[in-house]
Amino acid sequence: MDKNSKIYIAGHRGLVGSAIERKLRKEGFNNLILKTSSELNLINQKETEDFFNQEKPEYVFLSAAKVGGILANSTYPAEFLYNNLMISSNIINASHKSGVKKLVNLGSSCIYPKCAPQPMKEDCLLTSELEKTNEGYAIAKIAAIKLCHYYNQQYGTNFISLMPTNQYGINDNFNLETAHLLPMLLRRFHLAKLLYEDNFEAIVRDLKKRKIGYGYDETIDFNNEKSVIEILNKIGAYKDKVIVWGDGSAYREMMSSDDLADAAFYLMQNKDYNEVGELVNITNGDDIKLSNLYEIVKEIVGLPQKIEYDKTKPNGTFRKLMDDTKIKSLGWTPKIKLEEGIKSVYKWYCEN
């Protein structure tokens, strides 16, 4: 890419897409094509193809997706499979047909088998069964990887697939029903802290600013303090404690979306399909026990209450540590430390 290249970021308002936009603008790339979901329905094949034929992007970052945590994936598996399958298929196919020079496809670590050897190498894809709680989403992401791979083989395209570990960052989804782990923790702990402080006005401002999910947003009576507190209790925030799912024994790897954007930019600029291969992990190469992560978030938020574990709820996959050998061999390493990144996101959350 050069500074005048026409670049399409699919999903530019999301966590990853917005980080990629920030990175590109920082590097002086401003010829960006940005469309909201209301302006362009990527699930619709004709709309997507018409858009590509009209705009003729030279480079594409495919970060558009329907995403969510364990509960959302378990509750809406058909939506996660269908929507993500259609989005990726339409964009990849339209990119080929319209002559896109290069495409970066953003996947997820959930593509790897539930019991994959740790740390997970790229070649363990499809070697055993997936984690059931997010199988629909994972299958759609695997299909996108294979579609890029086969288009490269059959048509000579230059489409590369990146498999990032768990992401967090600015513009994350803080809806407690559909959020990923870290934004869900930050918001639940934040609301619990406000509850402890009897700061009802701040709680109401927060709930009016961002949805919490579970159907509660339509039923909240902001003039009834008791009613609001009852809803906070239902989502695990109490005056004397915060409830988290599972027993805290599982491990998770966390990466700032700004690091992922840096990796995506680096690979788009410097590495082609024949160097990257079918896929490459974007990873720190280390992870953290959830009970320890909870304590870090508790300290950063300033939460005075105790953390209580609901062991009737699932832990999800016990460990999802990804191998970093390949990405390091390609010349890239992450830069943002976990606590530094969480502090930055919580500061942004409080200010926005």
Side-chain angles (χ1 to χ4, degrees):
M1 299 186 298
D2 60 44
K3 298 297 173 68
N4 295 315
S5 295
K6 201 169 188 181
I7 305 166
Y8 171 47
I9 306 172
H12 74 283
R13 283 188 169 180
L15 171 64
V16 176
S18 63
I20 291 172
E21 182 186 352
R22 288 195 301 276
K23 175 64 177 177
L24 288 170
R25 293 196 186 282
K26 180 180 177 182
E27 298 292 336
F29 293 80
N30 291 302
N31 191 9
L32 308 181
I33 309 170
L34 310 172
K35 294 287 183 180
T36 65
S37 57
S38 60
E39 294 172 322
L40 174 61
N41 179 12
L42 292 169
I43 296 173
N44 185 292
Q45 185 181 57
K46 186 177 186 305
E47 272 194 50
T48 305
E49 290 191 354
D50 287 347
F51 162 74
F52 271 80
N53 289 332
Q54 179 179 344
E55 295 289 347
K56 297 289 185 183
E58 298 172 80
Y59 299 90
V60 173
F61 289 92
L62 202 180
S63 61
K66 178 179 176 63
V67 298
I70 292 176
L71 180 63
N73 273 276
S74 301
T75 307
Y76 312 110
E79 289 182 34
F80 276 88
L81 176 54
Y82 177 79
N83 289 354
N84 287 300
L85 196 59
M86 295 305 295
I87 290 169
S88 58
S89 297
N90 288 339
I91 291 175
I92 292 166
N93 186 57
S95 293
H96 157 60
K97 292 173 73 173
S98 64
V100 165
K101 294 178 181 177
K102 191 171 180 181
L103 176 146
V104 169
N105 168 43
L106 280 300
S108 166
S109 62
C110 72
I111 63 162
Y112 291 120
K114 178 179 181 179
C115 299
Q118 306 289 319
M120 299 180 293
K121 293 182 178 291
E122 288 84 353
D123 61 8
C124 73
L125 179 66
L126 295 177
T127 55
S128 59
E129 68 177 351
L130 300 165
E131 164 62 41
K132 292 297 182 184
T133 56
N134 57 15
E135 186 179 70
Y137 180 75
I139 289 172
K141 289 299 180 180
I142 292 170
I145 295 167
K146 290 297 182 181
L147 197 58
C148 286
H149 178 60
Y150 293 142
Y151 271 56
N152 292 334
Q153 283 188 348
Q154 186 171 342
Y155 301 115
T157 52
N158 191 11
F159 299 165
I160 59 176
S161 292
L162 282 51
M163 296 305 111
T165 189
N166 296 307
Q167 297 292 301
Y168 67 88
I170 293 171
N171 291 322
D172 215 331
N173 169 27
F174 289 88
N175 181 309
L176 295 176
E177 183 180 9
T178 58
H180 283 126
L181 175 63
L182 192 55
M184 178 274 295
L185 288 175
L186 281 171
R187 192 174 188 199
R188 186 179 300 177
F189 284 19
H190 178 73
L191 288 170
K193 182 179 102 170
L194 296 179
L195 188 57
Y196 176 88
E197 296 170 345
D198 291 320
N199 194 341
F200 186 70
E201 289 185 5
I203 291 171
V204 169
R205 284 198 302 271
D206 184 285
L207 296 180
K208 286 183 176 180
K209 176 77 175 178
R210 296 180 173 92
K211 291 187 176 182
I212 57 173
Y214 302 104
Y216 298 143
D217 300 284
E218 294 75 29
T219 61
I220 296 177
D221 180 0
F222 293 113
N223 296 315
N224 186 331
E225 185 171 337
K226 182 180 178 181
S227 174
V228 172
I229 291 173
E230 286 177 354
I231 287 176
L232 292 185
N233 293 166
K234 288 178 181 178
I235 54 105
Y238 292 81
K239 195 175 181 67
D240 62 340
K241 64 184 177 184
V242 175
I243 296 177
V244 295
W245 280 25
D247 60 11
S249 65
Y251 288 76
R252 288 294 179 270
E253 190 181 354
M254 297 283 165
M255 175 181 279
S256 166
S257 58
D258 287 317
D259 261 343
L260 174 55
D262 186 67
F265 177 78
Y266 171 80
L267 292 169
M268 178 69 93
Q269 285 288 74
N270 298 288
K271 302 296 176 180
D272 294 325
Y273 169 72
N274 61 349
E275 300 168 277
V276 174
E278 186 173 48
L279 69 156
V280 58
N281 293 336
I282 308 299
T283 173
N284 300 306
D286 58 17
D287 57 10
I288 184 171
K289 193 174 183 179
L290 286 185
S291 57
N292 294 333
L293 175 66
Y294 299 154
E295 292 300 324
I296 290 174
V297 175
K298 178 180 178 180
E299 181 178 348
I300 288 172
V301 172
L303 179 77
Q305 298 100 306
K306 64 181 180 181
I307 297 173
E308 186 175 293
Y309 294 91
D310 182 354
K311 298 178 182 179
T312 67
K313 297 294 194 299
N315 284 317
T317 304
F318 178 70
R319 198 168 199 176
K320 297 173 65 177
L321 179 60
M322 297 166 67
D323 186 271
D324 64 353
T325 304
K326 187 173 184 178
I327 186 58
K328 284 185 176 178
S329 74
L330 291 169
W332 183 85
T333 55
K335 302 175 180 64
I336 301 171
K337 301 298 184 184
L338 181 60
E339 290 190 38
E340 172 194 345
I342 297 175
K343 286 178 182 176
S344 175
V345 174
Y346 184 56
K347 181 175 183 290
W348 174 85
Y349 178 88
C350 293
E351 291 175 351
N352 291 272

